[in-house]
């Protein structure tokens, strides 16, 4: 298995532009997580899907952030409009329930908003 | 509030030396605790998992301990190698359906020659 695949690996965009991050979870996994990692705050959960349904989106910073999971093999995280403070590494992870199974992480997308 | 605290924030040791990383948590009800290793520029990878009934678990030179009463865990690295330089993240899972993983901020370990 190729693991969790994220694209792009790096994204540089200007403030105010729309940014879309993509994630393909491991086949057969039914839980998907989006995390943001910064030096100051570490890994923060943004949103969590179970069987394509958003379970907990309390970590989404504000209305500029939105996430979708139209099917079991694809998810997107969109930021519109982007701001410099959104600069971070965004990780997608997936796992197969039940609780306690290992979550496998993608390589991350490094976002820089200038 | 479910929280995971790690210490120290960063650590520098000489190659061949041992070190111990600490993790305190307030997650309830507790399901399990994992230690992840994150190399620079990569996603975290699980090293070991501890459930409520386990006190010690080893994975090569890595030994994790868990005290469920005091809600503390440690990760001991023996005979460190340069490749051990990474961030080590303590992650706790609550025993509730639909609850995501709770991450500590990690300990950055640098092993120098």
């Amino acid at each position: 298995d190729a693991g969790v695949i994220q694209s792009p690996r790096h994204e540089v965009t200007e403030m105010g532009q729309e940014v879309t991050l993509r994630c393909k979870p491991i086949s057969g996994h039914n839980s998907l997580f989006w995390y943001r990692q910064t030096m100051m705050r570490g890994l923060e959960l943004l949103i969590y899907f179970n069987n394509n349904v958003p379970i907990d989106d309390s970590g989404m910073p504000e209305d500029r952030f939105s996430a979708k999971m139209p099917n079991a093999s694809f998810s997107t995280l969109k930021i519109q409009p982007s701001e410099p403070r959104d600069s971070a590494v965004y990780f997608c992870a997936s796992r197969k329930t039940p609780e306690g199974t290992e979550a496998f992480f993608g390589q991350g997308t490094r976002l820089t908003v200038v | 509030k479910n929280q995971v605290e790690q210490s120290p924030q960063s650590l520098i040791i000489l190659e061949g030396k041992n070190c111990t990383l600490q993790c305190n948590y307030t997650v309830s009800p507790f399901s399990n605790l994992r230690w992840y290793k994150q190399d620079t520029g990569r996603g975290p990878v699980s090293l070991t998992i501890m459930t409520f009934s386990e006190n010690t678990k080893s994975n090569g030179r890595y030994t994790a301990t868990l005290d469920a009463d005091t809600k503390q865990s440690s990760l001991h690295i023996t005979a460190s190698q340069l490749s051990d330089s990474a961030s080590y993240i303590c992650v706790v899972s609550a025993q509730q359906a639909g609850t995501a993983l709770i991450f500590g901020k990690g300990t950055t370990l640098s092993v120098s020659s």
Side-chain angles (χ1 to χ4, degrees):
Chain A
D1 198 315
V4 176
I5 300 173
Q6 291 187 245
S7 63
R9 287 296 310 276
H10 303 274
E11 177 79 39
V12 180
T13 189
E14 291 185 342
M15 181 173 63
Q17 296 297 307
E18 177 181 296
V19 175
T20 299
L21 311 181
R22 296 173 176 79
C23 175
K24 182 181 188 308
I26 293 174
S27 177
H29 285 194
N30 56 349
S31 294
L32 183 140
F33 307 83
W34 280 102
Y35 288 91
R36 178 172 65 178
Q37 186 175 41
T38 61
M39 288 291 291
M40 291 295 294
R41 303 169 74 92
L43 272 160
E44 300 174 283
L45 176 67
L46 298 176
I47 187 168
Y48 161 40
F49 292 87
N50 200 40
N51 295 319
N52 311 339
V53 176
I55 302 299
D56 181 1
D57 66 353
S58 58
M60 296 287 262
E62 47 200 271
D63 292 344
R64 297 184 298 107
F65 285 69
S66 62
K68 294 182 180 179
M69 192 165 186
N71 57 62
S73 59
F74 184 66
S75 177
T76 60
L77 177 68
K78 185 176 293 186
I79 307 172
Q80 165 64 21
S82 58
E83 297 182 2
R85 60 192 168 120
D86 301 330
S87 298
V89 181
Y90 291 80
F91 284 102
C92 175
S94 71
R95 73 176 177 184
K96 190 173 183 179
T97 52
E99 301 291 333
T101 54
E102 179 180 352
F104 291 84
F105 284 78
Q107 299 276 47
T109 294
R110 180 173 293 278
L111 174 65
T112 303
V113 183
V114 298
Chain B
K1 181 180 178 182
N2 290 331
Q3 286 186 315
V4 176
E5 302 285 341
Q6 291 187 244
S7 63
Q9 185 175 1
S10 61
L11 184 62
I12 302 173
I13 61 173
L14 289 175
E15 186 179 13
K17 298 295 185 182
N18 304 335
C19 67
T20 300
L21 315 180
Q22 301 290 345
C23 173
N24 298 337
Y25 61 92
T26 57
V27 177
S28 182
F30 174 84
S31 174
N32 63 77
L33 182 150
R34 283 184 186 273
W35 283 93
Y36 278 81
K37 179 185 179 187
Q38 184 177 21
D39 293 312
T40 301
R42 305 186 74 87
V45 175
S46 178
L47 288 175
T48 182
I49 179 172
M50 307 284 291
T51 58
F52 187 86
S53 59
E54 296 176 307
N55 298 119
T56 303
K57 183 173 284 188
S58 292
N59 177 4
R61 295 180 296 103
Y62 301 100
T63 299
T65 66
L66 176 66
D67 186 333
D69 292 331
T70 61
K71 299 186 176 180
Q72 295 179 326
S73 176
S74 66
L75 180 68
H76 186 76
I77 304 175
T78 304
S80 61
Q81 300 176 358
L82 297 178
S83 59
D84 293 332
S85 296
S87 288
Y88 291 85
I89 304 171
C90 177
V91 184
V92 182
S93 182
Q95 204 171 55
Q96 293 169 316
T99 300
L101 307 172
I102 300 142
F103 283 75
K105 291 186 178 176
T107 293
T108 300
L109 174 65
S110 298
V111 181
S112 60
S113 57

